[in-house]
PDB file of all heavy atoms in Angstrom:
ATOM      1  N   THR A   1      98.095 104.704 104.344  1.00 95.00           N
ATOM      2  CA  THR A   1      97.924 104.887 105.771  1.00 95.00           C
ATOM      3  C   THR A   1      98.951 104.003 106.496  1.00 95.00           C
ATOM      4  O   THR A   1      98.919 102.769 106.341  1.00 95.00           O
ATOM      5  CB  THR A   1      96.518 104.513 106.264  1.00 95.00           C
ATOM      6  OG1 THR A   1      95.553 105.278 105.552  1.00 95.00           O
ATOM      7  CG2 THR A   1      96.381 104.768 107.754  1.00 95.00           C
ATOM      8  N   VAL A   2      99.897 104.613 107.179  1.00 95.00           N
ATOM      9  CA  VAL A   2     100.931 103.864 107.875  1.00 95.00           C
ATOM     10  C   VAL A   2     100.494 103.666 109.323  1.00 95.00           C
ATOM     11  O   VAL A   2     100.253 104.620 110.039  1.00 95.00           O
ATOM     12  CB  VAL A   2     102.279 104.615 107.825  1.00 95.00           C
ATOM     13  CG1 VAL A   2     103.358 103.790 108.512  1.00 95.00           C
ATOM     14  CG2 VAL A   2     102.689 104.909 106.378  1.00 95.00           C
ATOM     15  N   CYS A   3     100.360 102.410 109.712  1.00 92.00           N
ATOM     16  CA  CYS A   3      99.836 102.061 111.033  1.00 92.00           C
ATOM     17  C   CYS A   3     100.977 101.687 111.976  1.00 92.00           C
ATOM     18  O   CYS A   3     101.982 101.109 111.556  1.00 92.00           O
ATOM     19  CB  CYS A   3      98.846 100.907 110.921  1.00 92.00           C
ATOM     20  SG  CYS A   3      97.466 101.273 109.779  1.00 92.00           S
ATOM     21  N   PRO A   4     100.815 101.976 113.261  1.00 92.00           N
ATOM     22  CA  PRO A   4     101.937 101.823 114.218  1.00 92.00           C
ATOM     23  C   PRO A   4     102.093 100.408 114.736  1.00 92.00           C
ATOM     24  O   PRO A   4     101.921 100.115 115.946  1.00 92.00           O
ATOM     25  CB  PRO A   4     101.557 102.793 115.339  1.00 92.00           C
ATOM     26  CG  PRO A   4     100.061 102.762 115.335  1.00 92.00           C
ATOM     27  CD  PRO A   4      99.650 102.625 113.883  1.00 92.00           C
ATOM     28  N   LEU A   5     102.404  99.484 113.856  1.00 90.00           N
ATOM     29  CA  LEU A   5     102.731  98.122 114.255  1.00 90.00           C
ATOM     30  C   LEU A   5     103.659  97.492 113.228  1.00 90.00           C
ATOM     31  O   LEU A   5     103.721  97.963 112.091  1.00 90.00           O
ATOM     32  CB  LEU A   5     101.469  97.262 114.426  1.00 90.00           C
ATOM     33  CG  LEU A   5     100.748  96.703 113.165  1.00 90.00           C
ATOM     34  CD1 LEU A   5      99.796  95.620 113.553  1.00 90.00           C
ATOM     35  CD2 LEU A   5     100.022  97.815 112.431  1.00 90.00           C
ATOM     36  N   VAL A   6     104.372  96.455 113.651  1.00 93.00           N
ATOM     37  CA  VAL A   6     105.288  95.744 112.758  1.00 93.00           C
ATOM     38  C   VAL A   6     104.813  94.299 112.694  1.00 93.00           C
ATOM     39  O   VAL A   6     104.625  93.643 113.725  1.00 93.00           O
ATOM     40  CB  VAL A   6     106.728  95.810 113.257  1.00 93.00           C
ATOM     41  CG1 VAL A   6     107.646  94.905 112.427  1.00 93.00           C
ATOM     42  CG2 VAL A   6     107.252  97.265 113.189  1.00 93.00           C
ATOM     43  N   ILE A   7     104.639  93.783 111.482  1.00 90.00           N
ATOM     44  CA  ILE A   7     104.124  92.427 111.263  1.00 90.00           C
ATOM     45  C   ILE A   7     105.274  91.463 110.966  1.00 90.00           C
ATOM     46  O   ILE A   7     105.355  90.368 111.519  1.00 90.00           O
ATOM     47  CB  ILE A   7     103.074  92.399 110.147  1.00 90.00           C
ATOM     48  CG1 ILE A   7     101.833  93.207 110.582  1.00 90.00           C
ATOM     49  CG2 ILE A   7     102.688  90.982 109.781  1.00 90.00           C
ATOM     50  CD1 ILE A   7     100.792  93.363 109.512  1.00 90.00           C
ATOM     51  N   GLY A   8     106.168  91.862 110.072  1.00 90.00           N
ATOM     52  CA  GLY A   8     107.294  91.034 109.713  1.00 90.00           C
ATOM     53  C   GLY A   8     106.932  89.812 108.887  1.00 90.00           C
ATOM     54  O   GLY A   8     105.763  89.590 108.571  1.00 90.00           O
ATOM     55  N   GLY A   9     107.953  89.042 108.524  1.00 87.00           N
ATOM     56  CA  GLY A   9     107.724  87.815 107.752  1.00 87.00           C
ATOM     57  C   GLY A   9     107.957  87.994 106.285  1.00 87.00           C
ATOM     58  O   GLY A   9     107.333  88.873 105.664  1.00 87.00           O
ATOM     59  N   SER A  10     108.810  87.169 105.702  1.00 86.00           N
ATOM     60  CA  SER A  10     109.121  87.312 104.280  1.00 86.00           C
ATOM     61  C   SER A  10     107.939  86.895 103.390  1.00 86.00           C
ATOM     62  O   SER A  10     107.884  87.254 102.210  1.00 86.00           O
ATOM     63  CB  SER A  10     110.332  86.430 103.933  1.00 86.00           C
ATOM     64  OG  SER A  10     110.092  85.059 104.221  1.00 86.00           O
ATOM     65  N   HIS A  11     106.969  86.163 103.951  1.00 86.00           N
ATOM     66  CA  HIS A  11     105.812  85.743 103.162  1.00 86.00           C
ATOM     67  C   HIS A  11     104.571  86.591 103.408  1.00 86.00           C
ATOM     68  O   HIS A  11     103.512  86.326 102.830  1.00 86.00           O
ATOM     69  CB  HIS A  11     105.506  84.273 103.440  1.00 86.00           C
ATOM     70  CG  HIS A  11     106.606  83.323 103.064  1.00 86.00           C
ATOM     71  ND1 HIS A  11     106.993  83.136 101.744  1.00 86.00           N
ATOM     72  CD2 HIS A  11     107.437  82.576 103.819  1.00 86.00           C
ATOM     73  CE1 HIS A  11     107.990  82.266 101.720  1.00 86.00           C
ATOM     74  NE2 HIS A  11     108.286  81.925 102.961  1.00 86.00           N
ATOM     75  N   ALA A  12     104.665  87.563 104.289  1.00 88.00           N
ATOM     76  CA  ALA A  12     103.530  88.456 104.501  1.00 88.00           C
ATOM     77  C   ALA A  12     103.403  89.414 103.315  1.00 88.00           C
ATOM     78  O   ALA A  12     104.405  89.957 102.850  1.00 88.00           O
ATOM     79  CB  ALA A  12     103.721  89.246 105.786  1.00 88.00           C
ATOM     80  N   PRO A  13     102.194  89.607 102.784  1.00 85.00           N
ATOM     81  CA  PRO A  13     102.032  90.430 101.582  1.00 85.00           C
ATOM     82  C   PRO A  13     102.297  91.908 101.850  1.00 85.00           C
ATOM     83  O   PRO A  13     102.082  92.410 102.957  1.00 85.00           O
ATOM     84  CB  PRO A  13     100.559  90.210 101.196  1.00 85.00           C
ATOM     85  CG  PRO A  13      99.890  89.812 102.476  1.00 85.00           C
ATOM     86  CD  PRO A  13     100.917  89.047 103.239  1.00 85.00           C
ATOM     87  N   THR A  14     102.776  92.586 100.814  1.00 89.00           N
ATOM     88  CA  THR A  14     103.070  94.003 100.895  1.00 89.00           C
ATOM     89  C   THR A  14     102.126  94.735  99.933  1.00 89.00           C
ATOM     90  O   THR A  14     101.298  94.121  99.258  1.00 89.00           O
ATOM     91  CB  THR A  14     104.513  94.301 100.476  1.00 89.00           C
ATOM     92  OG1 THR A  14     104.671  94.080  99.056  1.00 89.00           O
ATOM     93  CG2 THR A  14     105.465  93.436 101.247  1.00 89.00           C
ATOM     94  N   ILE A  15     102.249  96.039  99.851  1.00 89.00           N
ATOM     95  CA  ILE A  15     101.339  96.805  99.010  1.00 89.00           C
ATOM     96  C   ILE A  15     101.586  96.532  97.515  1.00 89.00           C
ATOM     97  O   ILE A  15     100.750  96.789  96.687  1.00 89.00           O
ATOM     98  CB  ILE A  15     101.421  98.322  99.268  1.00 89.00           C
ATOM     99  CG1 ILE A  15     102.770  98.890  98.848  1.00 89.00           C
ATOM    100  CG2 ILE A  15     101.089  98.636 100.705  1.00 89.00           C
ATOM    101  CD1 ILE A  15     102.764 100.404  98.779  1.00 89.00           C
ATOM    102  N   SER A  16     102.772  95.991  97.205  1.00 91.00           N
ATOM    103  CA  SER A  16     103.072  95.701  95.797  1.00 91.00           C
ATOM    104  C   SER A  16     103.888  94.418  95.694  1.00 91.00           C
ATOM    105  O   SER A  16     105.118  94.432  95.703  1.00 91.00           O
ATOM    106  CB  SER A  16     103.826  96.879  95.164  1.00 91.00           C
ATOM    107  OG  SER A  16     104.019  96.663  93.757  1.00 91.00           O
ATOM    108  N   ASP A  17     103.173  93.303  95.561  1.00 88.00           N
ATOM    109  CA  ASP A  17     103.831  92.006  95.388  1.00 88.00           C
ATOM    110  C   ASP A  17     103.896  91.686  93.880  1.00 88.00           C
ATOM    111  O   ASP A  17     103.745  92.567  93.067  1.00 88.00           O
ATOM    112  CB  ASP A  17     103.031  90.913  96.123  1.00 88.00           C
ATOM    113  CG  ASP A  17     103.132  91.055  97.627  1.00 88.00           C
ATOM    114  OD1 ASP A  17     104.174  91.548  98.105  1.00 88.00           O
ATOM    115  OD2 ASP A  17     102.188  90.657  98.326  1.00 88.00           O
ATOM    116  N   GLY A  18     104.066  90.429  93.543  1.00 80.00           N
ATOM    117  CA  GLY A  18     104.104  90.085  92.130  1.00 80.00           C
ATOM    118  C   GLY A  18     105.498  90.087  91.553  1.00 80.00           C
ATOM    119  O   GLY A  18     106.476  89.812  92.253  1.00 80.00           O
ATOM    120  N   LEU A  19     105.598  90.465  90.287  1.00 80.00           N
ATOM    121  CA  LEU A  19     106.880  90.397  89.590  1.00 80.00           C
ATOM    122  C   LEU A  19     107.871  91.492  90.025  1.00 80.00           C
ATOM    123  O   LEU A  19     109.077  91.269  90.093  1.00 80.00           O
ATOM    124  CB  LEU A  19     106.658  90.515  88.075  1.00 80.00           C
ATOM    125  CG  LEU A  19     105.827  89.376  87.446  1.00 80.00           C
ATOM    126  CD1 LEU A  19     105.635  89.652  85.970  1.00 80.00           C
ATOM    127  CD2 LEU A  19     106.530  88.041  87.659  1.00 80.00           C
ATOM    128  N   GLY A  20     107.361  92.662  90.349  1.00 82.00           N
ATOM    129  CA  GLY A  20     108.236  93.767  90.712  1.00 82.00           C
ATOM    130  C   GLY A  20     109.110  94.209  89.553  1.00 82.00           C
ATOM    131  O   GLY A  20     108.872  93.914  88.396  1.00 82.00           O
ATOM    132  N   ILE A  21     110.192  94.933  89.890  1.00 79.00           N
ATOM    133  CA  ILE A  21     111.142  95.425  88.891  1.00 79.00           C
ATOM    134  C   ILE A  21     112.526  94.893  89.180  1.00 79.00           C
ATOM    135  O   ILE A  21     112.802  94.515  90.320  1.00 79.00           O
ATOM    136  CB  ILE A  21     111.162  96.959  88.839  1.00 79.00           C
ATOM    137  CG1 ILE A  21     111.602  97.483  90.221  1.00 79.00           C
ATOM    138  CG2 ILE A  21     109.824  97.565  88.415  1.00 79.00           C
ATOM    139  CD1 ILE A  21     111.929  98.960  90.227  1.00 79.00           C
ATOM    140  N   GLU A  22     113.375  94.836  88.170  1.00 81.00           N
ATOM    141  CA  GLU A  22     114.735  94.352  88.346  1.00 81.00           C
ATOM    142  C   GLU A  22     115.730  95.485  88.617  1.00 81.00           C
ATOM    143  O   GLU A  22     116.665  95.320  89.390  1.00 81.00           O
ATOM    144  CB  GLU A  22     115.157  93.558  87.121  1.00 81.00           C
ATOM    145  CG  GLU A  22     114.383  92.251  86.945  1.00 81.00           C
ATOM    146  CD  GLU A  22     114.920  91.427  85.779  1.00 81.00           C
ATOM    147  OE1 GLU A  22     115.886  91.893  85.142  1.00 81.00           O
ATOM    148  OE2 GLU A  22     114.352  90.350  85.504  1.00 81.00           O
ATOM    149  N   GLN A  23     115.522  96.624  88.002  1.00 81.00           N
ATOM    150  CA  GLN A  23     116.446  97.734  88.107  1.00 81.00           C
ATOM    151  C   GLN A  23     115.784  98.883  88.872  1.00 81.00           C
ATOM    152  O   GLN A  23     114.672  99.277  88.569  1.00 81.00           O
ATOM    153  CB  GLN A  23     116.855  98.219  86.741  1.00 81.00           C
ATOM    154  CG  GLN A  23     117.497  97.162  85.856  1.00 81.00           C
ATOM    155  CD  GLN A  23     118.832  96.680  86.406  1.00 81.00           C
ATOM    156  OE1 GLN A  23     119.562  97.448  87.056  1.00 81.00           O
ATOM    157  NE2 GLN A  23     119.177  95.427  86.120  1.00 81.00           N
ATOM    158  N   LEU A  24     116.499  99.387  89.858  1.00 86.00           N
ATOM    159  CA  LEU A  24     115.944 100.502  90.665  1.00 86.00           C
ATOM    160  C   LEU A  24     115.650 101.719  89.791  1.00 86.00           C
ATOM    161  O   LEU A  24     114.736 102.503  90.088  1.00 86.00           O
ATOM    162  CB  LEU A  24     116.932 100.858  91.777  1.00 86.00           C
ATOM    163  CG  LEU A  24     116.442 101.865  92.813  1.00 86.00           C
ATOM    164  CD1 LEU A  24     115.188 101.356  93.490  1.00 86.00           C
ATOM    165  CD2 LEU A  24     117.532 102.151  93.843  1.00 86.00           C
ATOM    166  N   THR A  25     116.374 101.884  88.709  1.00 82.00           N
ATOM    167  CA  THR A  25     116.130 103.013  87.809  1.00 82.00           C
ATOM    168  C   THR A  25     114.749 102.947  87.154  1.00 82.00           C
ATOM    169  O   THR A  25     114.278 103.938  86.641  1.00 82.00           O
ATOM    170  CB  THR A  25     117.212 103.050  86.717  1.00 82.00           C
ATOM    171  OG1 THR A  25     117.277 101.797  86.039  1.00 82.00           O
ATOM    172  CG2 THR A  25     118.563 103.385  87.295  1.00 82.00           C
ATOM    173  N   ASP A  26     114.118 101.737  87.159  1.00 83.00           N
ATOM    174  CA  ASP A  26     112.775 101.597  86.578  1.00 83.00           C
ATOM    175  C   ASP A  26     111.689 101.789  87.613  1.00 83.00           C
ATOM    176  O   ASP A  26     110.508 101.649  87.279  1.00 83.00           O
ATOM    177  CB  ASP A  26     112.654 100.201  85.961  1.00 83.00           C
ATOM    178  CG  ASP A  26     113.599  99.993  84.788  1.00 83.00           C
ATOM    179  OD1 ASP A  26     113.862 100.982  84.086  1.00 83.00           O
ATOM    180  OD2 ASP A  26     114.057  98.866  84.575  1.00 83.00           O
ATOM    181  N   ALA A  27     112.042 102.115  88.845  1.00 86.00           N
ATOM    182  CA  ALA A  27     111.027 102.286  89.888  1.00 86.00           C
ATOM    183  C   ALA A  27     110.088 103.415  89.536  1.00 86.00           C
ATOM    184  O   ALA A  27     110.498 104.440  88.938  1.00 86.00           O
ATOM    185  CB  ALA A  27     111.721 102.583  91.221  1.00 86.00           C
ATOM    186  N   ARG A  28     108.828 103.265  89.892  1.00 88.00           N
ATOM    187  CA  ARG A  28     107.850 104.331  89.663  1.00 88.00           C
ATOM    188  C   ARG A  28     108.060 105.438  90.686  1.00 88.00           C
ATOM    189  O   ARG A  28     108.193 105.167  91.893  1.00 88.00           O
ATOM    190  CB  ARG A  28     106.440 103.774  89.764  1.00 88.00           C
ATOM    191  CG  ARG A  28     106.125 102.672  88.755  1.00 88.00           C
ATOM    192  CD  ARG A  28     106.487 103.116  87.351  1.00 88.00           C
ATOM    193  NE  ARG A  28     106.247 102.056  86.374  1.00 88.00           N
ATOM    194  CZ  ARG A  28     106.872 101.989  85.204  1.00 88.00           C
ATOM    195  NH1 ARG A  28     107.797 102.906  84.888  1.00 88.00           N
ATOM    196  NH2 ARG A  28     106.608 101.011  84.379  1.00 88.00           N
ATOM    197  N   ARG A  29     108.075 106.661  90.210  1.00 92.00           N
ATOM    198  CA  ARG A  29     108.401 107.801  91.064  1.00 92.00           C
ATOM    199  C   ARG A  29     107.144 108.610  91.404  1.00 92.00           C
ATOM    200  O   ARG A  29     106.323 108.891  90.521  1.00 92.00           O
ATOM    201  CB  ARG A  29     109.420 108.712  90.352  1.00 92.00           C
ATOM    202  CG  ARG A  29     110.661 107.995  89.895  1.00 92.00           C
ATOM    203  CD  ARG A  29     111.584 107.625  91.042  1.00 92.00           C
ATOM    204  NE  ARG A  29     112.757 106.882  90.591  1.00 92.00           N
ATOM    205  CZ  ARG A  29     113.769 106.557  91.398  1.00 92.00           C
ATOM    206  NH1 ARG A  29     113.750 106.894  92.670  1.00 92.00           N
ATOM    207  NH2 ARG A  29     114.815 105.879  90.905  1.00 92.00           N
ATOM    208  N   PHE A  30     107.008 108.966  92.662  1.00 95.00           N
ATOM    209  CA  PHE A  30     105.869 109.768  93.139  1.00 95.00           C
ATOM    210  C   PHE A  30     106.412 110.889  94.009  1.00 95.00           C
ATOM    211  O   PHE A  30     107.530 110.833  94.532  1.00 95.00           O
ATOM    212  CB  PHE A  30     104.927 108.914  93.974  1.00 95.00           C
ATOM    213  CG  PHE A  30     104.191 107.858  93.184  1.00 95.00           C
ATOM    214  CD1 PHE A  30     104.802 106.666  92.857  1.00 95.00           C
ATOM    215  CD2 PHE A  30     102.881 108.078  92.768  1.00 95.00           C
ATOM    216  CE1 PHE A  30     104.121 105.704  92.121  1.00 95.00           C
ATOM    217  CE2 PHE A  30     102.207 107.140  92.034  1.00 95.00           C
ATOM    218  CZ  PHE A  30     102.822 105.941  91.705  1.00 95.00           C
ATOM    219  N   HIS A  31     105.605 111.942  94.143  1.00 96.00           N
ATOM    220  CA  HIS A  31     105.997 113.023  95.046  1.00 96.00           C
ATOM    221  C   HIS A  31     104.908 113.222  96.096  1.00 96.00           C
ATOM    222  O   HIS A  31     103.710 113.104  95.799  1.00 96.00           O
ATOM    223  CB  HIS A  31     106.289 114.326  94.281  1.00 96.00           C
ATOM    224  CG  HIS A  31     105.127 114.843  93.482  1.00 96.00           C
ATOM    225  ND1 HIS A  31     104.786 114.380  92.234  1.00 96.00           N
ATOM    226  CD2 HIS A  31     104.229 115.829  93.802  1.00 96.00           C
ATOM    227  CE1 HIS A  31     103.740 115.034  91.787  1.00 96.00           C
ATOM    228  NE2 HIS A  31     103.353 115.904  92.707  1.00 96.00           N
ATOM    229  N   LEU A  32     105.317 113.517  97.293  1.00 96.00           N
ATOM    230  CA  LEU A  32     104.393 113.658  98.412  1.00 96.00           C
ATOM    231  C   LEU A  32     103.652 114.986  98.287  1.00 96.00           C
ATOM    232  O   LEU A  32     104.245 116.045  98.146  1.00 96.00           O
ATOM    233  CB  LEU A  32     105.179 113.631  99.731  1.00 96.00           C
ATOM    234  CG  LEU A  32     104.371 113.724 101.032  1.00 96.00           C
ATOM    235  CD1 LEU A  32     103.516 112.500 101.210  1.00 96.00           C
ATOM    236  CD2 LEU A  32     105.339 113.890 102.212  1.00 96.00           C
ATOM    237  N   THR A  33     102.332 114.899  98.353  1.00 97.00           N
ATOM    238  CA  THR A  33     101.512 116.126  98.214  1.00 97.00           C
ATOM    239  C   THR A  33     100.721 116.448  99.492  1.00 97.00           C
ATOM    240  O   THR A  33     100.237 117.554  99.669  1.00 97.00           O
ATOM    241  CB  THR A  33     100.514 115.998  97.064  1.00 97.00           C
ATOM    242  OG1 THR A  33      99.731 114.797  97.220  1.00 97.00           O
ATOM    243  CG2 THR A  33     101.267 115.920  95.726  1.00 97.00           C
ATOM    244  N   ARG A  34     100.598 115.463 100.379  1.00 96.00           N
ATOM    245  CA  ARG A  34      99.843 115.709 101.612  1.00 96.00           C
ATOM    246  C   ARG A  34     100.237 114.682 102.661  1.00 96.00           C
ATOM    247  O   ARG A  34     100.457 113.537 102.348  1.00 96.00           O
ATOM    248  CB  ARG A  34      98.331 115.615 101.335  1.00 96.00           C
ATOM    249  CG  ARG A  34      97.439 115.938 102.534  1.00 96.00           C
ATOM    250  CD  ARG A  34      95.965 115.897 102.142  1.00 96.00           C
ATOM    251  NE  ARG A  34      95.098 116.208 103.241  1.00 96.00           N
ATOM    252  CZ  ARG A  34      94.608 115.312 104.078  1.00 96.00           C
ATOM    253  NH1 ARG A  34      94.906 114.034 103.933  1.00 96.00           N
ATOM    254  NH2 ARG A  34      93.783 115.666 105.084  1.00 96.00           N
ATOM    255  N   ARG A  35     100.299 115.141 103.900  1.00 96.00           N
ATOM    256  CA  ARG A  35     100.514 114.223 105.002  1.00 96.00           C
ATOM    257  C   ARG A  35      99.770 114.737 106.240  1.00 96.00           C
ATOM    258  O   ARG A  35      99.692 115.949 106.472  1.00 96.00           O
ATOM    259  CB  ARG A  35     101.992 114.037 105.324  1.00 96.00           C
ATOM    260  CG  ARG A  35     102.714 115.280 105.816  1.00 96.00           C
ATOM    261  CD  ARG A  35     104.178 114.947 106.057  1.00 96.00           C
ATOM    262  NE  ARG A  35     104.909 116.148 106.494  1.00 96.00           N
ATOM    263  CZ  ARG A  35     106.212 116.165 106.717  1.00 96.00           C
ATOM    264  NH1 ARG A  35     106.919 115.054 106.534  1.00 96.00           N
ATOM    265  NH2 ARG A  35     106.807 117.274 107.086  1.00 96.00           N
ATOM    266  N   LYS A  36      99.230 113.804 107.008  1.00 95.00           N
ATOM    267  CA  LYS A  36      98.476 114.178 108.188  1.00 95.00           C
ATOM    268  C   LYS A  36      98.571 113.057 109.204  1.00 95.00           C
ATOM    269  O   LYS A  36      98.395 111.864 108.841  1.00 95.00           O
ATOM    270  CB  LYS A  36      96.998 114.462 107.849  1.00 95.00           C
ATOM    271  CG  LYS A  36      96.147 114.848 109.026  1.00 95.00           C
ATOM    272  CD  LYS A  36      94.705 115.100 108.615  1.00 95.00           C
ATOM    273  CE  LYS A  36      93.864 115.480 109.798  1.00 95.00           C
ATOM    274  NZ  LYS A  36      92.431 115.744 109.405  1.00 95.00           N
TER     275      LYS A  36
END
């Protein structure tokens, strides 16, 4: 759910924090199936 506000801040948590990935080629891929 994308909400209409901007919080900002490099220390504010995101939906996926932690170690993350090093190479963009390793990113998990999803396809959009619904939007409203």
Side-chain angles (χ1 to χ4, degrees):
T1 303
V2 183
C3 303
L5 77 165
V6 172
I7 294 174
S10 59
H11 297 293
T14 70
I15 67 166
S16 186
D17 291 330
L19 297 177
I21 60 168
E22 293 185 0
Q23 303 294 331
L24 188 59
T25 54
D26 296 327
R28 300 308 177 204
R29 306 287 178 173
F30 292 80
H31 60 278
L32 182 66
T33 55
R34 183 176 181 271
R35 64 180 177 183
K36 180 180 180 181

